[in-house]
């Protein structure tokens, strides 16, 4: 149990990649707090975590709302006494070419994907600094490295996460808090299942390992980044993309 006695908070942990990370960390021994806006998904995931014998707090909280995030962290500290690990995973897409992109779609993506990461990281930074141990993993995307036509908002948010990761890694390193990012490629979740078949086929041709990624591919790397074997890695971006971008 490499995460025994650790407490992990996963945002957007009700389904998709976040849910898989939640399960993998719980199986490794961590107690869990999950924040999501999808109540049904939260309830379902909580049952699965508790059946593994771990504690699981759920919060129907929106990462863009500073007051909801702060209240969640103080409840985690009250109930589980600490927060050792933060996985900033909640994210959305609102795709469209720049000339047609509405301000609403720009703001929604930047607020959830980037401001949400700021809100949650800021809220855990002090308790982690106090205990002089912490692991923060931000889920970016290869689109934040390469850019993508039709995803200016998403690319800006994910590129922002990468720059944020490196800055905060430098700020918090002296307190034994490691901050890293994962940049997934094409992972099979609800977010990608809604893409048209012909787009998916074109994507597959660009993946040297010749398969789409699974949430577990990302979750295994998250487990590595929050456990002791990675303790000398900070400010790094690990691509989990089947070789799509190299
Ligand atoms: P997903 O299946 O859509 O799951 C995202 C979860 O986050 C959902 O449960 C969603 O709730 C929740 N969420 C949305 N807005 C939120 C908010 N404001 N506050 C709290 N929770 C919120 O997505 P996914 O594919 O697992 O993606 C997870 C992360 O990986 C995202 O950051 C995404 O950008 C990144 N990523 C994914 C891929 C991929 O190929 N799938 C590739 C690169 C990066 P609802 O169910 O209500 O929407």
């Amino acid at each position: 149990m490499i995460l025994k006695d650790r407490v992990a908070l996963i945002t957007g942990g009700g389904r998709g990649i976040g849910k898989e990370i939640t399960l993998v960390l719980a199986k490794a021994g961590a107690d869990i707090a999950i924040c999501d806006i999808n109540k049904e998904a939260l309830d379902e995931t909580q049952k699965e975590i508790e059946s593994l014998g771990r504690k699981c707090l759920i919060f129907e909280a929106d990462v863009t709302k500073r007051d909801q995030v702060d209240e969640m962290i103080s409840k985690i500290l009250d109930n589980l006494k600490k927060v050792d690990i933060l996985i900033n995973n909640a994210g959305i897409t609102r795709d469209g070419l720049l000339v047609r992109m509405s301000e609403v779609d720009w703001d929604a993506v930047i607020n959830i994907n980037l401001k949400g990461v700021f809100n949650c990281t800021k809220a855990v930074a002090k308790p982690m600094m106090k205990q002089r141990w912490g692991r923060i993993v931000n889920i970016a995307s290869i689109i934040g490295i390469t850019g993508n036509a039709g995803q200016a908002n998403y690319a800006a948010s994910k590129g922002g996460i990468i720059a944020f990761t490196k800055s905060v890694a430098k700020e918090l390193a002296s307190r034994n808090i490691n901050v890293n990012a994962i940049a997934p490629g094409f992972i099979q979740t609800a977010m990608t299942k809604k893409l048209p078949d012909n787009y998916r086929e074109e994507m597959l041709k660009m993946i040297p390992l010749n398969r789409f990624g699974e949430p577990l591919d990302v979750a295994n790397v998250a487990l590595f980044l929050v456990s002791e074997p990675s303790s000398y890695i900070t400010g790094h971006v690990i691509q989990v993309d089947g070789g799509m971008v190299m």
Side-chain angles (χ1 to χ4, degrees):
M1 289 281 182
I2 55 175
L3 296 183
K4 187 173 178 296
D5 298 329
R6 294 289 182 208
V7 173
L9 166 63
I10 300 96
T11 71
R15 65 176 183 145
I17 292 170
K19 176 173 182 175
E20 196 63 43
I21 294 174
T22 301
L23 290 168
V24 164
L25 301 194
K27 283 176 192 161
D31 286 325
I32 300 291
I34 315 171
C35 133
D36 206 296
I37 49 170
N38 184 331
K39 178 75 170 83
E40 222 174 289
L42 275 174
D43 290 339
E44 184 56 39
T45 305
Q46 184 184 40
K47 275 189 219 140
E48 290 183 45
I49 300 298
E50 287 178 346
S51 74
L52 295 168
R54 302 275 89 78
K55 290 179 190 154
C56 183
L57 299 182
I58 53 170
F59 299 91
E60 197 178 351
D62 181 339
V63 293
T64 67
K65 304 276 188 307
R66 192 66 206 282
D67 52 340
Q68 293 183 18
V69 170
D70 288 347
E71 196 187 328
M72 167 174 72
I73 300 302
S74 80
K75 283 189 180 153
I76 296 170
L77 294 175
D78 283 349
N79 286 283
L80 300 174
K81 306 299 168 210
K82 56 184 187 155
V83 51
D84 300 303
I85 294 165
L86 168 66
I87 312 286
N88 279 309
N89 164 81
I92 61 162
T93 52
R94 293 284 183 276
D95 297 350
L97 293 171
L98 176 69
V99 289
R100 285 194 220 127
M101 186 176 286
S102 69
E103 195 178 340
V104 171
D105 284 348
W106 172 268
D107 286 347
V109 169
I110 298 294
N111 273 333
I112 295 175
N113 296 9
L114 189 54
K115 191 177 176 197
V117 171
F118 163 77
N119 283 341
C120 296
T121 306
K122 189 171 157 70
V124 301
K126 274 197 187 149
M128 283 184 181
M129 286 165 82
K130 221 166 150 193
Q131 66 180 19
R132 294 188 180 266
W133 199 97
R135 295 287 182 269
I136 299 170
V137 176
N138 299 322
I139 306 300
S141 166
I142 54 161
I143 302 304
I145 298 167
T146 61
N148 195 24
Q151 290 196 303
N153 49 0
Y154 187 74
S157 72
K158 296 300 187 177
I161 287 177
I162 291 171
F164 177 86
T165 299
K166 293 178 185 183
S167 303
V168 178
K170 287 182 180 181
E171 284 186 29
L172 300 182
S174 65
R175 305 300 174 99
N176 199 23
I177 300 168
N178 297 21
V179 188
N180 290 289
I182 297 176
F186 194 110
I187 309 297
Q188 307 239 55
T189 66
M191 185 181 268
T192 46
K193 278 178 186 147
K194 66 188 178 196
L195 295 167
D197 283 349
N198 58 342
Y199 183 84
R200 292 166 60 89
E201 280 159 26
E202 285 309 308
M203 283 289 122
L204 191 55
K205 287 184 197 152
M206 291 160 60
I207 303 173
L209 286 178
N210 198 32
R211 69 168 176 89
F212 294 127
E214 297 297 331
L216 186 58
D217 294 312
V218 179
N220 284 333
V221 176
L223 174 62
F224 170 65
L225 287 174
V226 303
S227 50
E228 279 315 302
S230 69
S231 61
Y232 201 54
I233 299 175
T234 196
H236 205 74
V237 184
I238 299 185
Q239 291 173 215
V240 181
D241 65 354
M244 207 171 171
V245 175
M246 47 171 119

